[in-house]
Amino acid sequence: MTSLTTFYLSGITGKEVFDADGDAIGRIKDLLVSAVPSGQADPNQQLVTGVKLKVGKKTGFYSFKTFRISKAREELNVTCTGLVELPGEEVDNGLLLVENILDKQIVDLNGRKLVRVNDVRLATLASGTFAIAVDIGIEGLLRRIGITGPIKRLLSFFKIKIPTRFILWDDVQAIDFSNLNIKLSKSYARLHTLHPSDLADIIEELGNKSSTSVFSALDEEKAADVLEELETDAQIHIVESLPVNKVADVFEKMPADEVADIIDELEDDKAELLLKEMEAESSQEVRELLEYDDDLVGSIMTTDYLSFTSTKTVEEVLNELRAKKPEAAELYNMFVTENDDRLIGTFNLRDLVVSEPEKTIGQIMKSEPVSLLDDQKTSAIAEVVSKYNLLAVPVIDQNEQLQGMVVVDDVVEDLISERRTRKRRK
Amino acid sequence: MTEIKFERKHLFRRLGIFLMILGPGIITGSVDNDAGGITTYSVAGAEYGYGLIWTLIPSFIVLIVIQEMNARMGIVTGKGLADLIRENAGIKITFFIFIGLLLSGIGNTTTEFAGVAGSMEVFGVTKYISVPIVAVMVWFLVVKGTYKIAERIFLIFSLSLLTYVISAIMGKPDWKEIGTAVIRPGVEVNTRSMTMIIALVGTTIAPWMQFYMQSTVIEKGLKMKHFRYTMADIIVGCIVTVVVAFFIIVACGSTLHPNGIVINEAKDAALALRPLAGHLASQVFAFGLFIASIFSATILPLATAYFVCEAFGFEAGIDKKWDEAKEFFILYTGIIVISVIIILIPNAPLIPISIWSQVINGILLPVVLISMMILINNKKIMGAYTNKPFSNVIGWGAVSILVILSLTLLILPLINR
């Protein structure tokens, strides 16, 4: 019926709506789109479903179905064939373009960062009106202030074009839902596609309220990965603003050394509360790590490591690994211990893969392994890691019993900064 | 099985919190006494003697109340003032505020470089050498990422502002007279004295500082439960500001005023002090001016570029690459370049420039303050931490006085014409 009409949110808000006879009905305050994505390819997730309309002195939500937007000579006209009130439930499930999107920060999923919305571009097709893109460019800014025309004319003298920047609606995630009652985990669904470190960067940049609500919408696994990646300040903010049981659940999914680092920064009673809430096994590991001073190897070692007896065969070990599905870091280096936990050798994934299945670990391991002492200063790690090219170094105590391992991922930042200061000193 | 032993760490943690939090207020307070401030205080002292010292008392109270609100907003929301204004005040007010902030940023930076030029001229270095060197140094210091270290060094250097105390005492002021002037304030109402008062208040409570204070608080990751440390920091910062201002006015009021010497720039004050209070007093004064100018010349362009980008949604940060944050780097570099060019023009109209940036400040300040008052009383934003009646009375009172003063400043020249 109608051909494609495109327009901007800034152009439609404040517009007067007319009925079939040409009488004014009210003024448009805001547009409602369905916020909950029902699937990636579903076009309905960007369909405009409702209008916030000011009729007389009252403001209410009405279904968009009876509205029509057309463009004649660059002028937008809005007509309505009759007001149909929108059920409250549909309002709750929607996203208000002016209130939740315009001027707010949203996540650009492709650029993996926060951007500020200057305007929203919409289009009317035969099947309805859709939000198609958000405008984050300078042109959108000027349009909102109402000086695009003069500036464009001025710049055309110098043959300069005002830069335009749009992001497709599919590639953005709204952040601010503060006024709506919708379930957050559903509305932040698109954030799950982001890498934990990108998510952490975004959460760090958000305000206090939004960062907490985005974080609490993540499932425990993802939340654990993200919490690990956050800066200390942000970690503390998140931990202190979420309920203790939720934090304890997330902590249980994290390596004990990371948890110990966070707990070390908390107030004593909060720390104790969290440790009590965690499962006994996990909290015990954390407590042990907390006993080490900050500058000792023990404070940054992880207690998640794999150790085997020397009599196991390669095949048995491989089967165990398949069943256990350990984290990548645990496979950097695996250890061989005697019955009393004394470390006698190490082997890595390559050693396993290239060996005959029936060989024993004792035959393929490297004996007299390089190791660190748990009460050694952390400054010793750098030398060991770079000298022996190790991804993970076993940590033993005075009795040569295996206590944990230091993973290169955890020390790489210290290594880099140490190198820098050394360079500067030269 | 083991209870963690926390006690050992307790003392260090307390100390750590104190050192960590002692910062935003003191830094902001030190940046506050920039070249523009020193100039204004010197001129006020030379022209009115101790007559306008009393203005420091209301300024002090308003300064504390405003900074407390900034700190509270920063801690509760975790958002910068620019963000909050953009999200709540609408695009047109945002545009007005930030274009104003940009213009006054350029004006103020120009004043800082004028301070560098003037103070080095006291030591016999021409501005054509001192200003470009300082500008390039400042640019590199910030862009090459050593900004945090620079900030700390400057903070220690800013102790040199206390040298004004020495300058003042060398001028052998009459303390009894000062006391009387503070207790029994008196001003003749005319255009000149009104302009002076507005300039004094405007330079003490500069609009961009509200933004600066709030973002520093966020950067430090402060918490509401440590608010009394933050409050101590703010009060110390405000005392530093006011004490330095007091001694500058006294230094100039006790030496220049009785001799009827009229000055236009802080440099004039330094030069005029020489025959009256001795060589050393003059050089101490110039050194203080130099340090204060560089300190603010480092922070001002950076902060201005940052807040404009924050409000308009451009990416910002010195750790970003040129392509990632083009607008930010163009703004930052542009502010410095324009300011340096203005200073280096022979016979540049420095006095009109500094007056005009004061005027922009004067118009901007009430707008920013009104936005702040509305934001901080919004339950949706501040939750349980909205303003108490006391802060509201002082806040709105300050806003009304500032609006009246600014309007007077704008209207008086028209009437007198």
Side-chain angles (χ1 to χ4, degrees), chain A residues 263 268-277 283-284 286-292, chain B residues 1-9:
Chain A
I263 286 193
D268 304 355
D269 29 350
K270 180 87 181 183
E272 195 50 45
L273 213 61
L274 277 165
L275 286 168
K276 286 209 173 102
E277 183 73 24
S283 69
Q284 187 53 41
V286 176
R287 277 176 203 273
E288 277 166 21
L289 288 173
L290 278 172
E291 305 231 335
Y292 291 106
Chain B
M1 132 190 122
T2 40
E3 279 295 309
I4 318 156
K5 285 195 187 104
F6 279 116
E7 292 83 1
R8 182 170 38 84
K9 283 187 291 187

Side-chain angles (χ1 to χ4, degrees), chain B residues 170-247:
Chain B
M170 282 173 153
K172 299 192 186 64
D174 182 349
W175 293 104
K176 230 177 155 176
E177 206 184 314
I178 296 171
T180 325
V182 175
I183 296 164
R184 264 182 290 169
V187 243
E188 14 171 350
V189 180
N190 57 40
T191 324
R192 192 130 179 91
S193 65
M194 291 305 284
T195 318
M196 202 66 243
I197 292 174
I198 294 168
L200 276 174
V201 176
T203 191
T204 315
I205 314 166
W208 72 274
M209 282 176 37
Q210 284 30 285
F211 296 86
Y212 184 74
M213 178 77 192
Q214 193 159 332
S215 62
T216 321
V217 165
I218 297 166
E219 204 172 294
K220 301 261 167 182
L222 302 186
K223 296 269 169 302
M224 216 52 207
K225 62 180 175 233
H226 300 139
F227 200 70
R228 38 168 205 206
Y229 294 99
T230 310
M231 210 49 222
D233 169 49
I234 290 171
I235 292 172
V236 172
C238 293
I239 289 176
V240 168
T241 306
V242 171
V243 164
V244 171
F246 171 80
F247 280 104

Side-chain angles (χ1 to χ4, degrees), chain A residues 103-104 113 116-118 141 144-145 207-209 240 264 266-268 275 284 287 290-291 293, chain B residues 2 4 6 8-10 13 75-78 83 86-87 91-92 95 225 310 313 315 380:
Chain A
D103 289 333
K104 301 288 189 287
K113 61 182 184 213
R116 201 174 280 290
V117 180
N118 292 330
L141 209 59
R144 292 279 306 288
I145 302 159
N208 291 346
K209 231 191 259 168
E240 288 188 342
D264 215 19
L266 296 175
E267 309 245 308
D268 304 355
L275 286 168
Q284 187 53 41
R287 277 176 203 273
L290 278 172
E291 305 231 335
D293 271 347
Chain B
T2 40
I4 318 156
F6 279 116
R8 182 170 38 84
K9 283 187 291 187
H10 237 119
R13 180 171 295 180
I75 295 173
V76 171
T77 63
D83 272 330
R86 169 72 193 266
E87 282 171 18
I91 190 117
K92 285 193 176 127
F95 188 73
K225 62 180 175 233
E310 191 178 276
E315 218 160 309
K380 236 159 111 183

Side-chain angles (χ1 to χ4, degrees), chain B residues 7-242:
Chain B
E7 292 83 1
R8 182 170 38 84
K9 283 187 291 187
H10 237 119
L11 181 72
F12 288 105
R13 180 171 295 180
R14 277 277 154 80
L15 202 69
I17 290 173
F18 195 65
L19 286 179
M20 185 184 82
I21 292 175
L22 274 190
I26 291 175
I27 294 174
T28 314
S30 309
V31 186
D32 199 0
N33 284 320
D34 59 350
I38 294 169
T39 310
T40 314
Y41 302 136
S42 314
V43 174
E47 200 163 335
Y48 292 93
Y50 311 133
L52 293 181
I53 287 184
W54 62 269
T55 57
L56 294 176
I57 295 171
S59 296
F60 176 69
I61 297 168
V62 173
L63 200 57
I64 289 185
V65 170
I66 290 176
Q67 296 205 348
E68 186 273 337
M69 292 198 292
N70 281 127
R72 186 149 40 95
M73 269 201 279
I75 295 173
V76 171
T77 63
K79 282 183 177 180
L81 187 54
D83 272 330
L84 288 175
I85 289 181
R86 169 72 193 266
E87 282 171 18
N88 297 286
I91 190 117
K92 285 193 176 127
I93 291 176
T94 309
F95 188 73
F96 171 78
I97 290 180
F98 287 95
I99 291 300
L101 208 61
L102 186 58
L103 290 177
S104 88
I106 294 173
N108 289 338
T109 310
T110 310
T111 323
E112 309 310 338
F113 282 119
V116 170
S119 58
M120 287 318 281
E121 271 164 20
V122 173
F123 295 105
V125 181
T126 158
K127 68 177 178 183
Y128 298 103
I129 294 175
S130 61
V131 171
I133 289 179
V134 168
V136 170
M137 198 187 87
V138 161
W139 192 88
F140 266 100
L141 211 60
V142 171
V143 172
K144 293 301 157 199
T146 39
Y147 172 69
K148 277 288 133 204
I149 303 166
E151 193 186 67
R152 255 162 252 164
I153 294 171
F154 280 130
L155 202 56
I156 296 165
F157 265 148
S158 71
L159 286 177
S160 72
L161 286 177
L162 294 175
T163 54
Y164 290 123
V165 180
I166 304 170
S167 276
I169 291 168
M170 282 173 153
K172 299 192 186 64
D174 182 349
W175 293 104
K176 230 177 155 176
E177 206 184 314
I178 296 171
T180 325
V182 175
I183 296 164
R184 264 182 290 169
V187 243
E188 14 171 350
V189 180
N190 57 40
T191 324
R192 192 130 179 91
S193 65
M194 291 305 284
T195 318
M196 202 66 243
I197 292 174
I198 294 168
L200 276 174
V201 176
T203 191
T204 315
I205 314 166
W208 72 274
M209 282 176 37
Q210 284 30 285
F211 296 86
Y212 184 74
M213 178 77 192
Q214 193 159 332
S215 62
T216 321
V217 165
I218 297 166
E219 204 172 294
K220 301 261 167 182
L222 302 186
K223 296 269 169 302
M224 216 52 207
K225 62 180 175 233
H226 300 139
F227 200 70
R228 38 168 205 206
Y229 294 99
T230 310
M231 210 49 222
D233 169 49
I234 290 171
I235 292 172
V236 172
C238 293
I239 289 176
V240 168
T241 306
V242 171

Side-chain angles (χ1 to χ4, degrees), chain A residues 29-242:
Chain A
K29 286 283 170 203
D30 210 336
L31 293 181
L32 191 81
V33 296
S34 41
V36 184
S38 36
Q40 271 298 320
D42 189 351
N44 283 332
Q45 62 178 310
Q46 52 204 72
L47 181 70
V48 176
T49 54
V51 184
K52 189 176 170 189
L53 198 67
K54 193 173 179 192
V55 183
K57 283 202 171 121
K58 268 173 58 189
T59 309
F61 290 94
Y62 302 96
S63 166
F64 193 75
K65 285 203 182 96
T66 57
F67 285 70
R68 255 201 61 198
I69 292 167
S70 57
K71 218 182 203 175
R73 276 185 245 105
E74 294 299 303
E75 192 63 34
L76 279 177
N77 295 312
V78 189
T79 52
C80 175
T81 51
L83 293 178
V84 182
E85 231 170 286
L86 206 62
E89 166 199 344
E90 243 181 274
V91 177
D92 282 349
N93 276 324
L95 191 63
L96 285 165
L97 290 183
V98 173
E99 195 157 347
N100 301 122
I101 302 281
L102 201 62
D103 289 333
K104 301 288 189 287
Q105 286 183 307
I106 56 164
V107 178
D108 166 6
L109 294 172
N110 282 336
R112 290 160 307 183
K113 61 182 184 213
L114 287 172
V115 292
R116 201 174 280 290
V117 180
N118 292 330
D119 213 340
V120 179
R121 198 171 166 85
L122 300 116
T124 299
L125 304 155
S127 49
T129 298
F130 300 88
I132 49 176
V134 295
D135 185 344
I136 58 164
I138 295 179
E139 199 195 352
L141 209 59
L142 297 175
R143 187 186 317 116
R144 292 279 306 288
I145 302 159
I147 52 171
T148 332
I151 298 248
K152 256 190 182 165
R153 251 169 277 145
L154 182 76
L155 288 180
S156 64
F157 277 119
F158 305 100
K159 303 233 182 306
I160 302 173
K161 269 195 174 167
I162 304 171
T164 51
R165 277 176 74 199
F166 289 98
I167 307 176
L168 288 180
W169 191 260
D170 273 337
D171 298 331
V172 299
Q173 165 71 59
I175 293 290
D176 181 11
F177 294 104
S178 49
N179 58 316
L180 301 174
N181 308 320
I182 44 185
K183 207 161 169 263
L184 287 171
S185 55
K186 259 191 185 171
S187 26
Y188 289 126
R190 288 182 190 175
L191 288 181
H192 290 279
T193 58
L194 289 177
H195 188 274
S197 3
D198 289 327
L199 254 176
D201 286 344
I202 287 168
I203 287 177
E204 279 163 16
E205 273 192 49
L206 287 170
N208 291 346
K209 231 191 259 168
S210 309
S211 60
T212 314
S213 59
V214 168
F215 186 86
S216 44
L218 302 170
D219 62 55
E220 279 164 23
E221 289 288 345
K222 193 92 174 181
D225 290 344
V226 171
L227 193 58
E228 237 182 275
E229 297 288 336
L230 285 173
E231 299 268 341
T232 315
D233 280 344
Q235 282 176 331
I236 295 170
H237 164 71
I238 294 284
V239 168
E240 288 188 342
S241 51
L242 289 180

Side-chain angles (χ1 to χ4, degrees), chain B residues 269-289:
Chain B
L271 288 174
L273 279 176
R274 196 175 291 172
L276 299 166
H279 246 291
L280 187 63
S282 157
Q283 284 180 353
V284 160
F285 195 95
F287 179 71
L289 176 62

